[in-house]
Amino acid sequence: MSGFWGLMRAYWFSESWKEAWALTMVIAALTALASKASVWMAEASGELINSIAFFHSEDNLTPLRSLLVAAGTLVLIVILKDAGFTGIRHLFSTTLHRKWRAWLDRRFNDALLDANHTHYHLQNGDAGAALDNVDQRVQEAIKGMTGGAIGLAMGIVGVIMSVFFVGQKLLETSTSVTGLEFLGEYGSAALAFAAVLVYVPVNTWIALKLGGLLERLTIRMSQAEGSYRGALNTLLRRSFHVAAAGGEGVQNDIHKRIYKDIDGTWGSLNRVHAGYMSFELIYNFIAARIVAYGPGLLPYMNQQVSLKNYVTGAELINSMIQQCSWFIQVMPAIATLKANSRRLTELVEAIENVQAPVDYYRRTGRSEFVRTTQDSEFGLTIANLELMHQGADAKAFLSAPFLNFRRGEWTFVSGESGCGKTSLIKAINGLWPYGAGSIALPAGVRTFYASQDIRLPPITLKRLVCLPDAPDAFHDLQVAAALHDAGLGHLIAHIEEEARDGQPWDTVLSGGQRQKLFVARILLHKPGLLFLDEATAALDGPAKIAFHQAIKDHCPEVTVISVMHEAVPPRALSGESFYDSILTVAGGVASKRPFGSLLAEVTIPFPEKRRRRRRLDAISIPAE
């Protein structure tokens, strides 16, 4: 789907090509029939005018009957054209629009949500600064582009069919014209074609200039609307924080500033639209009342054609002008089509650029990570690792000469806030773009990454626990056991529900319960490599102990690397440490040593009352 034409034709050459071409052929056939009906309408209009003009003629023996038949014929043709051909064509064109848009939407979602983490990479590097409002591009831009393209294609087909059928009829009814005798019987047809060829192109050029202005303003409007929607979405995500900090005034100022751009652009767009509408109305009036009746006036005045043929010819010319003027009538829509297609092609180019993340990030900084796998018995090994920010001259803010995490080893990551602990975990997981070094992951081992802020998609509770696998990958009893051991046993009866009391699980569950839900996922999947990035921040002391104990009991061979706020991590109720080693990040260097060395530096309080608690094998994380 590279480029504009790639977007245009991809659907017709995809796995859905039969559906696409079948709908297209039906629409083309109905468009041809509608164009042919325009000729019938012109002939019927001429017959009606003629019956009115000669109503009182002595030669007209049945004037009322002739008038009613002509009027009835015209009405029937109009009904056939508008309700039959045009109406049914609209149904098929909107169906094609719906099918095409759905197909493109699936393609973009597949591209954004692939194993390459494309959606993540688009927000980093140089694309993140230039690619605004991906949501608007995927939804509104796809809808606008597909609808505009179908309308444009129908218009082009309509013009071709009209020129063929109407032109054929003009040639059939053509007659000689005084002063143009050298053209013979094609004189009146030549005048008609000349009028169309002069009037339409000149005004189309004017429409193109106005359309270009509309296109630029439409792009600006889309960007402004997207920015405002982004600000509102940010507010909804941070609603509690805004309320707690009393930041409504600041947020209101942000909204006003962004909306000012919308209002100014909208005003300019409205003025251009008003000017274009006036231009189009004047153009249509002159076309229908002057240009259409002009070419046949000379032969009619010289009595070379009858009134019936004069009116019929004028209606044919007007029909041809209207069909050929389709570009003028839909120029605002074409401008919108071009604007939407430009935003989509930018998104396509950005998606293609990040398919090779290493090469992509090398454009804006140093990205020389070497990711390999090794026998799982050797665990995770990191060598000569350096992390840095964007920029060719950026210096390393964190280095790790050599780190090895043995199979089943628990490592506590310690360091001041902002020292690079989370960046290190991101780099191991391939989510930090800039730096260098080698990372050897254990082969055949599943990795889980838990962060502090857990957002839950609107799906069933069972599927939340089974993520990233499908819900049918595990039996209900397995999911129920995982929820029980994680301290969420009271939710077992609701595993097939997407909400409680009309509220999604993301709203129903507290921060601590969301972190317990992640424990349930761990207990169900039993990963071999687990990263905890402030994953217990919302839990109290006893819950943190139970969190660790549940993983220790059910995943004995898991390698854990954990970042926590605490200077010293929780310990088991028996007094034993969950962690085997400590990784300290200080002075821009990450170094690892046995956990016992930390005990010599820090005194760990451990109330005697905890020693008297129930046996460890009966522990489960308490429900909130």
Side-chain angles (χ1 to χ4, degrees):
M1 298 194 300
S2 178
F4 173 77
W5 291 112
L7 282 171
M8 291 295 104
R9 63 174 178 263
Y11 176 50
W12 279 262
F13 293 91
S14 69
E15 72 285 352
S16 302
W17 66 272
K18 292 181 180 179
E19 171 187 86
W21 282 108
L23 290 169
T24 302
M25 297 307 295
V26 171
I27 294 168
L30 290 170
T31 301
L33 289 172
S35 298
K36 183 62 176 178
S38 297
V39 176
W40 301 336
M41 286 179 59
E43 293 177 320
S45 296
E47 192 66 44
L48 177 61
I49 297 298
N50 188 68
S51 64
I52 294 172
F54 293 97
F55 186 84
H56 298 291
S57 175
E58 295 179 357
D59 298 331
N60 192 350
L61 301 179
T62 56
L64 182 60
R65 181 175 178 276
S66 299
L67 178 63
L68 292 176
V69 169
T73 301
L74 179 59
V75 170
L76 288 175
I77 292 174
V78 169
I79 293 174
L80 177 65
K81 177 179 181 292
D82 293 341
F85 301 148
T86 306
I88 296 175
R89 183 186 68 174
H90 177 74
L91 175 61
F92 278 94
S93 66
T94 52
T95 300
L96 177 61
H97 184 193
R98 178 170 57 86
K99 298 286 188 180
W100 186 14
R101 179 193 176 187
W103 185 86
L104 274 176
D105 184 79
R106 290 195 300 271
R107 297 290 82 75
F108 274 101
N109 274 283
D110 290 345
L112 290 169
L113 301 172
D114 59 1
N116 184 53
H117 307 305
T118 294
H119 64 94
Y120 174 79
H121 297 307
L122 283 178
Q123 308 307 312
N124 295 276
D126 55 354
L131 198 67
D132 64 303
N133 310 120
V134 173
D135 58 335
Q136 186 270 344
R137 294 172 189 262
V138 173
Q139 285 299 306
E140 296 177 19
I142 287 179
K143 181 180 180 181
M145 186 200 74
T146 50
I150 292 171
L152 178 61
M154 288 194 302
I156 293 174
V157 174
V159 169
I160 295 172
M161 293 294 102
S162 177
V163 170
F164 176 77
F165 290 121
V166 176
Q168 185 181 51
K169 194 63 181 180
L170 283 172
L171 291 173
E172 289 178 2
T173 58
S174 181
T175 185
S176 60
V177 177
T178 303
L180 297 175
E181 290 84 0
F182 66 94
L183 293 175
E185 62 181 9
Y186 297 113
S188 62
L191 285 176
F193 289 133
V196 175
L197 289 174
V198 171
Y199 186 68
V200 174
V202 170
N203 287 277
T204 301
W205 180 83
I206 297 173
L208 284 172
K209 293 298 182 183
L210 292 173
L213 182 57
L214 285 172
E215 177 188 352
R216 292 189 292 273
L217 288 172
T218 300
I219 292 175
R220 281 179 52 191
M221 190 68 175
S222 297
Q223 293 172 337
E225 291 278 12
S227 297
Y228 190 57
R229 183 174 58 250
L232 290 174
N233 288 334
T234 300
L235 169 63
L236 295 176
R237 290 195 300 268
R238 298 179 59 252
S239 182
F240 170 76
H241 303 286
V242 172
E248 285 81 1
V250 174
Q251 192 69 34
N252 195 13
D253 290 340
I254 294 174
H255 290 177
K256 288 179 180 178
R257 174 173 53 81
I258 297 176
Y259 193 83
K260 185 178 180 180
D261 188 25
I262 293 178
D263 188 65
T265 306
W266 198 358
S268 300
L269 198 57
N270 288 342
R271 287 190 290 273
V272 177
H273 269 296
Y276 195 93
M277 183 179 68
S278 301
F279 160 76
E280 186 178 353
L281 290 172
I282 295 172
Y283 171 84
N284 289 334
F285 175 81
I286 294 175
R289 295 292 178 263
I290 297 177
V291 178
Y293 283 84
L297 185 60
L298 183 60
Y300 178 70
M301 291 171 61
N302 292 327
Q303 297 184 343
Q304 294 173 301
V305 295
S306 64
L307 176 62
K308 175 183 175 180
N309 289 337
Y310 173 51
V311 173
T312 300
E315 290 296 322
L316 287 171
I317 295 172
N318 183 45
S319 175
M320 181 177 287
I321 290 175
Q322 293 303 316
Q323 291 288 351
C324 294
S325 301
W326 185 87
F327 295 103
I328 295 176
Q329 297 164 8
V330 299
M331 191 57 68
I334 294 175
T336 303
L337 165 64
K338 292 173 67 178
N340 285 322
S341 64
R342 180 180 298 181
R343 291 180 67 73
L344 279 177
T345 52
E346 289 174 351
L347 178 57
V348 170
E349 291 172 359
I351 290 174
E352 290 178 346
N353 286 338
V354 302
Q355 293 311 298
V358 174
D359 295 335
Y360 169 66
Y361 288 117
R362 281 176 179 169
R363 302 175 187 175
T364 53
R366 187 182 177 193
S367 184
E368 300 175 1
F369 295 109
V370 177
R371 303 178 62 82
T372 59
T373 58
Q374 62 185 11
D375 191 295
S376 60
E377 292 296 330
F378 298 115
L380 167 67
T381 302
I382 298 171
N384 302 318
L385 186 70
E386 291 184 329
L387 302 184
M388 54 197 64
H389 296 291
Q390 181 176 331
D393 300 327
K395 303 298 183 183
F397 64 85
L398 178 63
S399 62
F402 181 83
L403 298 172
N404 178 256
F405 304 89
R406 303 184 312 276
R407 181 179 181 181
E409 180 182 6
W410 286 48
T411 302
F412 171 62
V413 183
S414 174
E416 296 181 356
S417 178
C419 67
K421 301 186 297 294
T422 296
S423 300
L424 176 61
I425 291 182
K426 287 182 177 180
I428 297 173
N429 285 272
L431 299 176
W432 185 264
Y434 300 106
S438 63
I439 301 170
L441 295 167
V445 170
R446 191 163 200 171
T447 300
F448 267 34
Y449 184 175
S451 61
Q452 177 180 353
D453 188 18
I454 300 175
R455 297 293 179 181
L456 306 179
I459 53 180
T460 64
L461 182 61
K462 179 180 179 180
R463 191 167 188 183
L464 286 172
V465 179
C466 293
L467 284 174
D469 294 342
D472 56 3
F474 298 96
H475 194 276
D476 288 357
L477 292 178
Q478 293 175 283
V479 176
L483 285 170
H484 176 269
D485 293 333
L488 296 175
H490 61 290
L491 298 178
I492 292 175
H494 308 284
I495 62 174
E496 295 297 339
E497 298 176 10
E498 293 187 4
R500 289 283 306 276
D501 301 325
Q503 296 294 320
W505 291 112
D506 191 58
T507 303
V508 172
L509 300 181
S510 66
Q513 287 175 322
R514 293 179 200 170
Q515 292 180 338
K516 292 175 183 179
L517 187 65
F518 189 84
V519 175
R521 289 180 58 201
I522 296 172
L523 303 184
L524 183 66
H525 291 84
K526 293 182 172 54
L529 187 57
L530 178 61
F531 297 91
L532 304 176
D533 188 5
E534 308 287 0
T536 60
L539 300 175
D540 59 17
K544 289 181 181 180
I545 295 174
F547 179 102
H548 285 75
Q549 192 65 57
I551 299 174
K552 198 79 171 180
D553 291 341
H554 293 83
C555 305
E557 295 186 351
V558 65
T559 300
V560 178
I561 301 175
S562 176
V563 175
M564 300 178 69
H565 279 302
E566 292 83 351
V568 178
R571 300 172 64 185
L573 296 180
S574 64
E576 297 179 359
S577 173
F578 290 114
Y579 290 88
D580 306 298
S581 58
I582 176 172
L583 191 154
T584 303
V585 181
V589 178
S591 57
K592 183 168 165 281
R593 64 186 189 276
F595 189 77
S597 60
L598 180 65
L599 302 180
E601 302 172 7
V602 183
T603 301
I604 305 174
F606 196 79
E608 182 62 28
K609 61 181 181 179
R610 293 186 182 177
R611 301 180 185 274
R612 296 192 295 269
R613 291 191 178 182
R614 53 194 172 91
R615 292 173 54 86
L616 290 177
D617 56 2
I619 289 180
S620 64
I621 300 179
E624 292 185 354

